[in-house]
Amino acid sequence: MAVSHAFPDSPLAVTMGDPAGIGPDVTLAAWVRRQECALPPFFVIADPALLEARAALLGIDAPIARITRPEDAAAVFGMALPVLPLRSPLVPVVPGKPSVAHAGAIIESIEEAVSLTLTGRAAAVVTAPIAKFVLMETGFPHAGHTEFLAELAERHGHPPRPPVMLMASPRLKTVPVTVHIPLKEVFAALTREIIIDTARTTAEGLTRFFGVARPRLAICGLNPHAGENGALGHEETDIVAPAIERLRAEGIRASGPHPADTLFHDAARETYDAVLAMYHDQALIPFKTLAFDDGVNVTLGLPFIRTSPDHGTAFALAGTGQANPRSFAEALHLARRMAASAAEAGAEDRP
């Protein structure tokens, strides 16, 4: 899928995330280190008072510049953190104390970031962490950012396409084929079609955004020992292996089914560009073990670029000064590189 309105020189749109979590903390900490980290210009869609209060609590010298349009962000970024205010101020925020009263502002920030990116006024969306239970208590129907972003793309007139969650770091790239569902539902949700669609989107994304000409995809089995030839389950022979055969017939370099317990050591990681795991923790446990501080969550299959730090809201750390901004900084850098790569790929696609 081509990325709509890819303007790599536009600033990055950063969402507020849950205001009671560490999103404000890592945003402020990253901005303070903008020069040493060579961060690309970005702006935050939030209540400026939230960031001013959190900066004061943390003892961070981070002037806040209220902007009225994204185009003003680059000019002030070197001197102050640009903030595009929400339409309505937040209700009071206590770090570490999530509140359903914040749900509307959290959603508004995401919606605005997507809208600005789809119209080219921002180069990409970088999302701060949210707590799904806070939003779900208000009737929010999605299990996470990934599903909501897909709905927003459709709302803006783009054909529906299942999004793919790619966890990316220099050491490992993993994709869970089934994502935010209970483990007991994985068996019913896992089909040949979902594996094939996920692999196609992953291969396309690795080429367009990461410069991998012919991606090598290692595909996990579902059961221990990849089913042990049917002794420990038939999903590998009935679902996974036929999907791999179809992908190979299409020219995609897919291998497997591989036992997951032998796929993530150093030598194994040299044999592929990304792993497709069958369920959430099969992908994220090895990834966060290897790349907890610098991993980035990327959503593929959308008509815009979205990255996020790979950690959650960490309410216990909010306002303490202990939150590590490295993953957030890596999400900013990767979003900028992806925007540049998408623009280059788009230029090559044009006659």
Side-chain angles (χ1 to χ4, degrees):
M1 174 182 287
V3 176
S4 300
H5 304 289
F7 292 89
D9 294 329
S10 299
L12 304 173
V14 173
T15 67
M16 177 180 66
D18 193 301
I22 62 170
D25 305 48
V26 296
T27 301
L28 290 161
W31 181 84
V32 168
R33 303 176 192 179
R34 64 198 178 282
Q35 292 181 326
E36 63 182 271
C37 296
L39 293 184
F42 65 88
F43 64 96
V44 189
I45 303 170
D47 185 339
L50 165 71
L51 292 161
E52 289 169 342
R54 192 65 56 88
L57 176 64
L58 296 171
I60 292 178
D61 182 14
I64 304 301
R66 291 165 170 79
I67 60 174
T68 58
R69 56 183 197 145
E71 292 79 5
D72 296 332
V76 303
F77 185 76
M79 301 168 289
L81 175 60
V83 178
L84 186 67
L86 297 168
R87 287 184 291 272
S88 302
L90 270 175
V91 300
V93 175
V94 179
K97 302 293 184 182
S99 171
V100 174
H102 301 147
I106 295 168
I107 292 170
E108 179 191 333
S109 179
I110 299 169
E111 291 175 334
E112 185 67 11
V114 169
S115 178
L116 292 171
T117 303
L118 281 172
T119 55
R121 301 180 73 188
V125 177
V126 180
T127 57
I130 60 173
K132 289 77 174 179
F133 72 88
V134 171
L135 304 184
M136 287 178 173
E137 287 187 27
T138 69
F140 186 73
H142 302 289
H145 264 121
T146 304
E147 297 83 356
F148 184 40
L149 294 170
E151 182 203 298
L152 292 178
E154 187 174 359
R155 194 185 299 177
H156 281 270
H158 295 271
R161 183 178 181 181
V164 168
M165 188 172 94
L166 169 70
M167 306 302 293
S169 85
R171 288 174 295 284
L172 176 65
K173 293 180 177 65
T174 62
V175 170
V177 172
T178 61
V179 190
H180 297 121
I181 60 174
L183 187 58
K184 66 180 180 179
E185 296 178 12
V186 168
F187 293 87
L190 190 66
T191 63
R192 298 179 188 182
E193 290 72 22
I194 193 174
I195 295 171
I196 292 168
D197 288 345
T198 301
R200 287 170 177 161
T201 300
T202 301
E204 178 186 326
L206 289 173
T207 298
R208 176 171 289 273
F209 298 119
F210 295 90
V212 183
R214 294 193 64 213
R216 300 165 300 166
L217 305 182
I219 301 182
C220 287
L222 173 65
N223 298 295
H225 303 176
E228 199 71 70
N229 292 322
L232 299 177
H234 295 277
E235 285 78 12
E236 286 74 17
T237 55
D238 296 347
I239 298 172
V240 184
I244 293 171
E245 291 177 11
R246 172 69 179 276
L247 291 167
R248 288 173 177 165
E250 295 179 4
I252 294 176
R253 300 171 71 187
S255 64
H258 296 284
D261 62 353
T262 60
L263 200 52
F264 297 100
H265 60 83
D266 291 349
R269 297 202 309 276
E270 296 295 325
T271 66
Y272 55 77
D273 297 299
V275 169
L276 266 65
M278 296 301 102
Y279 56 93
H280 183 278
D281 285 8
Q282 192 181 53
L284 271 73
I285 288 174
F287 182 82
K288 292 193 175 185
T289 298
L290 291 168
F292 188 80
D293 288 330
D294 63 356
V296 179
N297 184 341
V298 178
T299 305
L300 300 176
L302 297 172
F304 55 90
I305 293 164
R306 179 261 178 161
T307 68
S308 177
D310 74 343
H311 55 70
T313 51
F315 290 118
L317 298 180
T320 68
Q322 298 178 36
N324 187 340
R326 184 176 175 186
S327 182
F328 177 74
E330 292 295 335
L332 292 167
H333 281 300
L334 183 54
R336 174 59 68 200
R337 292 195 299 270
M338 290 176 66
S341 181
E344 182 178 346
E348 291 175 355
D349 291 342
R350 290 192 289 271

